Amino acid sequence: MSAPGREQAAARIAALRALLDHHSYRYHVLDDPEIGDAQYDALYSELKALESAHPDLVTPDSITQRVGEVPVSDLVKVAHLQRMLSLANARSAEELRAWIQRMRNFLAREGIENPAFEFVAEPKIDGLAMSLVYEHGLLVRGVTRGDGETGEDVTHNLRTIAQIPLRLKTSAPPPLLEVRGEVYMSLPDFQALNERRAAAGESTFMNPRNSAAGTVRQLDPRLAAGRPLSFWAYQLGVASEEVTFTTHYAGLQWLRELGFPVNPDICVLASEEAVVAQCERWEQRRGALDFEIDGVVVKVNDLELQRRLGVVGREPRWAIAWKFPPTTAVTTLAGIGWNPGKFGDLHPYAILEPVRVGGVTVKQATLHNEEDLARKDLRVGEEVIVLRAGDVIPQVVAPAPHVAQRPDRPPRPLPPARCPACDTPTVKPEGSVFTKCPNRDCPGRRAQLLTHFVGAMDIDGLGEKQVLTFMGLGWLRSAADIYRLSEREQDLLALAGFGETSARKLLAAIEASKERPFGRVLFAIGIEEVGEVTGRALAQQFGTVEALLAAGTAELEATPGVGPKMAQAIHEQLADPAMRELIADLRELGLQFEEEGPAPGAGPLAGRTFVLTGTLPELTREQASAIITSAGGKVTGSVSKRTDYVVAGESAGSKLARAQQLGVAVIDEAGLLALAEHGDGEPVVK
Ligand code: IVH
């Protein structure tokens, strides 16, 4: 006899699983959630509670079973149902054409003249190939590629990947289906993971691929669950006979229906030219993707033609990898250079034996700071790995693997005893991990400060190069001199590279920058610890520069986001005579030192607190914040009883749920705009 309530429990469990599977799919595969985190969490907790009350109703495809509690003792070797092949490479349009010609020749010998080729071009994801086996719709096994014949069973870790269905989304699953695809770590996830590891004093991963490889081979699934992996499906493997498709593309569409993530930009192409053009498009998009690709895989679409073409060695004749130029390379670290930053901190950079990486020649690479250099344990004279991801500045990642073990390594590079820009003896302030040039007149430091200023003030046509030129000519020493360049129009015209139009444009851009708001000016003048957000917060808090300069540390601390240490640092810098002089000069020259719009306590939204969540139809988050603050309101990050309004857009998450819980008014974009205009106007409640 069943326990009381068991039947209801079973029904509710089934309903909850269906709901959770649906919402997990919306979130992880379609990237288009329908409910907020809090609602999802509530459903999940309910399922978890019912399952612990009825352990016999727990099934392996339940979403609660993604992360197993018990580590496996080791990775078991498993023979693949069908060999996992590799791909031949093409590095140019010519090599791609030659491949197509080879297929034509081969088929002609088989009696197939002039085959009408269609191709499918897919991103070649830089991760690890996996074989997923589904029996009657249930994921039973996930295996690494291994040597192509035999791989390792990593099912326990693949189950933690929310994008991999535990059960196929179909009421009529085939008895057997093998799905192949790539497990990878997205760039944002990789970056966040490395930041967490660095903060915890752990070693960082060299690239997303290594990081994914290390994660997928962990014995403890809880560890894998903490390091988010993703998945793209790209191929049908072995399947029972009812699975009949005539094209690869149709197979991919079906995989998408079954719940797998299939890249939406995969398309069918009818000619060589279209394939080449598509490969070039992927190459251009490469830096804009949030995962790494190292090429494009081009496959013959027709499955019968694929079968006729067959395999040579370990490579199918019917597919090829168009490889992009590599983005890592090994070269010798010729030296370490040091540059003072805008506050005097010496920043190291790597001087390299020139090397081709990612299609360009690299001679220098950033090393962030002294700590980064020490952590990477680089030594001058040794070989190092250089990474160039997308369009970002090249970085030195690590010593080449073979050098790190050597007993006779050169000594660790040390920061210089004198500033390379002004020869002042360097210092290491107590408690700081960075060596500093203490000379405030250091030309290197000034150049950085001025470059920061022109960037922050958005002065078109004035960048580091021009700053250096003008400094070299003795025209620029402080930011105030930028606004005195208008007196040098004739000199500007005489400069190489400056025609009449560009000189005029530059002066107009400088003039226009006088309109930048007070908060931006505070950020631009270079107060240590004051970024763009804090600059704006200080401007809002004090309203005028007089009020700010008169503020004590306690008053500074009342500014949102300013803690005691920061307040102290800001106070000291603002008290400095040179800083006061700069502020006085810039004020005299016409820059903004007062907050525009209503002072705090005035305006239609005065005294009201807002929280923004989700995507608004028209406004960006910044614009919405600006509307609120300029009408005298305040924007905060989290919903509490003190919140007056939550402005909710598309895909609003847990904040919306919290607002509803606390009974906080929820308005939409139109509601916000009406409120900002009239203050007490009727809010449009959602
Ligand atoms: S197809 C015959 N498609 O590239 C089919 N592979 O060198 C062989 N890869 O081990 C695989 N993206 O790890 C295929 N869209 C894609 C791919 C892809 C990445 C990797 C996979 C494989 C290697 C082949």
Side-chain angles (χ1 to χ4, degrees), residues 277-612:
Q278 184 69 1
C279 288
E280 285 167 352
R281 264 199 295 280
W282 276 112
E283 189 162 348
Q284 276 161 14
R285 280 186 61 194
R286 181 186 197 182
L289 300 173
D290 71 356
F291 50 92
E292 289 207 322
I293 65 174
D294 58 351
V296 183
V297 182
V298 183
K299 299 172 184 173
V300 169
N301 194 23
D302 187 305
L303 294 178
E304 176 57 18
L305 276 180
Q306 282 193 6
R307 200 187 58 75
R308 298 290 288 261
L309 283 159
V311 174
V312 250
R314 303 161 131 255
E315 294 160 2
R317 279 197 191 81
W318 46 266
I320 201 154
W322 164 297
K323 292 286 275 251
F324 300 151
T327 48
T328 60
V330 171
T331 189
T332 302
L333 179 64
I336 306 282
W338 298 83
N339 273 332
K342 61 178 182 290
F343 298 123
D345 288 349
L346 291 182
H347 298 304
Y349 63 94
I351 303 162
L352 303 167
E353 292 289 337
V355 63
R356 295 276 302 168
V357 41
V360 299
T361 300
V362 173
K363 295 182 218 148
Q364 283 190 3
T366 69
L367 284 167
H368 305 298
N369 57 42
E370 218 172 311
E371 239 182 352
D372 185 51
L373 172 64
R375 191 165 45 79
K376 287 178 176 162
D377 198 21
L378 307 175
R379 314 288 171 99
V380 173
E382 287 183 346
E383 292 200 308
V384 292
I385 298 167
V386 180
L387 169 79
R388 184 175 170 273
D391 288 334
V392 300
I393 311 164
Q395 308 178 32
V396 175
V397 188
H402 62 278
V403 305
Q405 278 88 37
R406 281 196 198 150
D408 55 342
R409 300 186 64 191
R412 285 171 180 277
L414 292 174
R418 287 175 171 275
C419 172
C422 70
D423 210 37
T424 305
T426 57
V427 294
K428 196 161 194 164
E430 222 183 273
S432 165
V433 286
F434 303 122
T435 304
K436 252 183 130 154
C437 166
N439 173 15
R440 268 197 300 199
D441 281 329
C442 166
R445 204 174 143 164
R446 275 188 182 281
Q448 290 304 309
L449 196 56
L450 286 172
T451 305
H452 161 76
F453 182 90
V454 298
M457 296 295 276
D458 229 345
I459 306 181
D460 253 0
L462 202 49
E464 184 170 13
K465 199 175 133 208
Q466 290 79 15
V467 164
L468 289 174
T469 309
F470 296 164
M471 279 181 75
L473 290 165
W475 298 354
L476 284 189
R477 255 181 59 82
S478 85
D481 295 330
I482 293 171
Y483 298 92
R484 299 185 184 116
L485 282 173
S486 52
E487 297 157 21
R488 297 188 185 271
E489 194 168 347
Q490 291 314 311
D491 297 335
L492 265 177
L493 286 173
L495 263 191
F498 269 100
E500 198 164 328
T501 338
S502 54
R504 238 180 238 125
K505 264 196 186 153
L506 175 63
L507 293 177
I510 291 172
E511 191 59 29
S513 76
K514 291 183 180 170
E515 296 308 314
R516 305 287 175 258
F518 180 30
R520 190 93 75 79
V521 176
L522 285 176
F523 165 55
I525 56 177
I527 307 169
E528 222 165 328
E529 311 267 1
V530 176
E532 196 166 355
V533 175
T534 310
R536 218 178 305 136
L538 287 171
Q540 254 170 44
Q541 184 77 10
F542 293 98
T544 66
V545 77
E546 284 86 7
L548 175 64
L549 292 177
T553 47
E555 288 161 88
L556 287 166
E557 239 183 273
T559 311
V562 176
K565 257 184 76 185
M566 216 160 137
Q568 182 64 36
I570 296 171
H571 188 256
E572 272 167 28
Q573 293 174 82
L574 289 178
D576 186 86
M579 180 60 86
R580 297 234 161 186
E581 191 187 320
L582 175 67
I583 291 174
D585 277 359
L586 290 176
R587 202 173 179 193
E588 173 110 12
L589 287 159
L591 276 72
Q592 303 299 314
F593 281 93
E594 259 175 42
E595 185 67 340
E596 260 189 30
L605 300 184
R608 305 211 206 162
T609 304
F610 290 76
V611 173
L612 300 166

Side-chain angles (χ1 to χ4, degrees), residues 27-69:
Y27 184 90
H28 291 287
V29 180
L30 300 185
D31 201 10
D32 185 17
E34 291 172 343
I35 61 172
D37 298 356
Q39 273 170 290
Y40 182 90
D41 292 347
L43 293 173
Y44 190 93
S45 311
E46 190 188 344
L47 176 60
K48 195 86 187 155
L50 277 174
E51 285 183 348
S52 13
H54 302 274
D56 56 319
L57 294 178
V58 177
T59 56
D61 64 324
S62 173
I63 196 154
T64 60
Q65 303 303 299
R66 280 199 174 269
V67 186
E69 311 262 301

Side-chain angles (χ1 to χ4, degrees), residues 600-623:
L605 300 184
R608 305 211 206 162
T609 304
F610 290 76
V611 173
L612 300 166
T613 178
T615 312
L616 299 177
E618 300 289 338
L619 300 172
T620 65
R621 211 162 258 245
E622 280 233 307
Q623 290 167 331

